[in-house]
Amino acid sequence: MQDLKFTVTAPVKAGATVTAKNNDTVEHTVTADDGSFNISIGPGKTATFTAPSAAGDYKLHCNIHSQMTGTLTVQ
């Protein structure tokens, strides 16, 4: 995350550990629209979560900044 935007760089394997890094100066969440993952990340910090176990495209958003949306592709 940087400049209030998600940058998802590549697909991940089902069930993999995903590390998200917050390069902004404010807190963000990484929240799946379907509720399958939800983490908070402080400014300048990293956090991990487990990717869903089923392949597909998972829409995500930040609960704090509604303009922040993205998609995590799970293979």
Side-chain angles (χ1 to χ4, degrees):
M1 294 159 269
Q2 190 165 349
D3 299 325
L4 297 177
K5 295 178 185 171
F6 286 109
T7 303
V8 180
T9 57
V12 299
K13 292 184 179 185
T17 298
V18 178
T19 300
K21 184 173 182 183
N22 179 353
N23 291 311
D24 280 330
T25 58
V26 295
E27 184 173 353
H28 294 300
T29 71
V30 180
T31 305
D33 289 3
D34 70 359
S36 57
F37 52 86
N38 180 29
I39 59 170
S40 295
I41 309 172
K45 304 287 184 182
T46 60
T48 61
F49 64 94
T50 302
S53 58
D57 291 329
Y58 292 83
K59 300 287 185 185
L60 55 93
H61 63 277
C62 174
N63 284 330
I64 302 166
H65 305 99
S66 60
Q67 74 273 25
M68 289 181 65
T69 61
T71 303
L72 176 69
T73 299
V74 176
Q75 297 179 329

